[in-house]
């Protein structure tokens, strides 16, 4: 083995920390972890509500659009058709 | 805790059972603590980082799909959090003999002159010297060297812990090792 590699390996072996056996849970971490889990659950529920709201809004827009479509895209203007009818009536009344 | 027990706890947790969630927390906590202690960036408090990892895991608990074992999923979160912290640390471009303490310089001399292992009294200096050498590496390489040489994990274990492929690990390890060798040789020449 390359002497430098051998020295590096010995250096790493010496630098290894002894395996720490026990890690007590710090005070309050359990509560904070539970709060984080609950918070995530609430956020997810909130997102679901927003989804329902958005879907409702889209459906409302579609219904509104569908009901307004015939009015907005009528080939003849209803008001001008009314005036034309009136003129015809007047003309027929003046005829002796 | 077996995979089936973890799945059961998760299912109970999804139904709102806090006891089940706490069981999972106590199951994963020693694992997180061990990983964070082993890969702790130099200027970071272990307790803060453990807390950060635990809260991240708990807030994403409902997103765990079960495709990988629970502890592997937790490990990846812990390792990535450590890696992000290491990325915030300044990278030291090159280490000079003048940057080392007397004890660290003695360690280099001892390694060069005697073939045996270092004394127990030199462990602290060796550990500090390794930290200084690792500071010259890229964050991912630094983390890999710690997992490989300080924690003694093999390539397969590191792949499970990090989610990296075996090829990527080998390439990174080769590159990092070459970098360490170069810097260590420079130190040796200065010391001679």
């Amino acid at each position: 083995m390359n002497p430098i590699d051998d020295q590096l390996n010995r250096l790493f072996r010496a630098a290894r920390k002894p395996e720490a056996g026990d890690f007590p849970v710090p005070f309050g971490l359990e509560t904070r972890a539970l709060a984080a889990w609950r918070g995530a659950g609430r956020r997810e529920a909130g997102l679901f509500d927003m989804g329902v709201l958005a879907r409702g809004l889209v459906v409302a827009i579609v219904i509104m659009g569908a009901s307004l479509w015939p009015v907005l895209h009528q080939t003849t203007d209803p008001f001008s058709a009314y005036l034309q009818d009136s003129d015809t009536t007047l003309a027929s009344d003046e005829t002796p | 805790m077996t995979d089936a027990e973890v799945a059961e706890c998760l299912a109970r947790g999804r139904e709102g059972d806090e006891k089940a969630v706490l069981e999972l927390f106590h199951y994963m906590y020693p694992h997180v603590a061990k990983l964070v202690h082993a890969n702790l960036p130099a200027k970071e408090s272990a307790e803060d980082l453990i807390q950060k990892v635990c809260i991240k895991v708990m807030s994403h608990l409902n997103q765990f799909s079960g495709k990988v074992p629970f502890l592997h999923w937790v490990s990846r979160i812990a390792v990535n959090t450590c890696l992000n912290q290491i990325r915030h640390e300044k990278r030291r471009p090159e280490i000079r003999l003048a940057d080392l303490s007397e004890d660290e310089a003695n360690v280099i001399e001892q390694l060069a002159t005697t073939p045996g292992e270092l004394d127990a009294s030199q462990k602290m200096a060796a550990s500090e010297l390794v930290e200084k050498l690792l500071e010259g590496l890229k964050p991912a390489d630094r983390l890999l060297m710690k997992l490989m040489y300080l924690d003694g994990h093999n390539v397969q274990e590191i792949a499970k812990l990090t989610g990296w492929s075996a090829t990527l690990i080998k390439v990174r390890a080769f590159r990092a090792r070459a970098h360490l060798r170069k810097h260590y040789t420079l130190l040796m020449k200065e010391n001679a």
Side-chain angles (χ1 to χ4, degrees):
Chain A
M1 188 190 271
N2 181 340
I4 297 293
D5 275 326
D6 173 56
Q7 287 177 31
L8 272 176
N9 286 344
R10 281 190 286 142
L11 177 65
F12 275 121
R13 278 200 293 273
R16 274 186 188 178
K17 288 170 195 156
E19 188 133 320
D22 207 21
F23 296 104
V25 179
F27 178 73
L29 180 57
E30 202 180 270
T31 316
R32 280 195 292 275
L34 257 186
W37 171 73
R38 276 195 223 111
R42 267 201 298 275
R43 269 200 305 279
E44 278 169 21
L47 280 175
F48 176 72
D49 287 346
M50 284 302 289
V52 169
L53 206 72
R55 279 197 292 271
L57 198 68
V58 168
V59 169
I61 289 169
V62 168
I63 292 171
M64 214 163 72
S67 55
L68 285 176
W69 181 266
V71 179
L72 293 172
H73 289 82
Q74 227 167 13
T75 45
T76 52
D77 182 9
F79 188 65
S80 61
Y82 168 75
L83 286 178
Q84 207 173 9
D85 283 349
S86 312
D87 287 347
T88 321
T89 314
L90 282 173
S92 61
D93 284 350
E94 281 168 10
T95 313
Chain B
M1 208 182 241
T2 61
D3 284 354
E5 284 169 330
V6 168
E8 195 201 316
C9 276
L10 281 167
R12 277 165 49 208
R14 283 190 186 111
E15 285 164 14
D17 185 351
E18 289 187 359
K19 253 186 175 178
V21 175
L22 278 179
E23 267 179 53
L24 281 176
F25 170 77
H26 286 288
Y27 172 56
M28 66 146 197
Y29 179 80
H31 189 70
V32 169
K34 195 178 156 196
L35 262 177
V36 168
H37 274 282
N39 301 296
L40 188 67
K43 295 168 192 86
E44 187 76 26
S45 140
E47 203 166 298
D48 286 352
L49 203 53
I50 291 171
Q51 184 171 313
K52 203 182 247 183
V53 173
C54 287
I55 286 178
K56 214 180 249 187
V57 169
M58 296 306 275
S59 53
H60 291 91
L61 198 60
N62 290 340
Q63 291 168 19
F64 173 65
S65 62
K67 283 179 189 162
V68 290
F70 180 65
L71 283 186
H72 290 181
W73 180 72
V74 171
S75 302
R76 285 177 197 185
I77 294 178
V79 165
N80 284 328
T81 310
C82 288
L83 192 57
N84 284 339
Q85 287 306 121
I86 293 172
R87 282 194 181 116
H88 289 307
E89 285 192 348
K90 219 174 167 182
R91 195 175 153 196
R92 188 196 291 259
E94 195 177 300
I95 182 171
R96 308 299 303 263
L97 196 64
D99 299 326
L100 304 183
S101 68
E102 197 178 328
D103 288 344
E104 290 160 5
N106 285 341
V107 165
I108 291 184
E109 197 168 338
Q110 175 101 17
L111 286 169
T113 52
T114 54
E117 298 293 326
L118 291 170
D119 299 337
S121 60
Q122 287 176 306
K123 274 187 176 289
M124 181 66 93
S127 178
E128 281 164 7
L129 178 60
V130 165
E131 278 297 334
K132 283 181 182 169
L133 279 169
L134 292 180
E135 276 176 26
L137 299 178
K138 287 178 184 168
D141 295 351
R142 200 188 308 182
L143 186 102
L144 177 60
M145 289 290 102
K146 281 188 172 185
L147 287 170
M148 198 172 255
Y149 295 110
L150 297 181
D151 301 350
H153 291 294
N154 61 31
V155 174
Q156 279 75 30
E157 287 167 342
I158 295 170
K160 280 177 192 162
L161 288 173
T162 57
W164 300 336
S165 71
T167 316
L168 179 66
I169 292 168
K170 284 176 191 168
V171 169
R172 274 190 176 150
F174 180 79
R175 190 177 57 195
R177 183 81 190 198
H179 197 279
L180 283 179
R181 203 181 292 127
K182 183 181 146 199
H183 282 259
Y184 184 77
T185 311
L186 286 175
L187 282 177
M188 290 271 297
K189 279 182 186 161
E190 265 193 276
N191 199 31

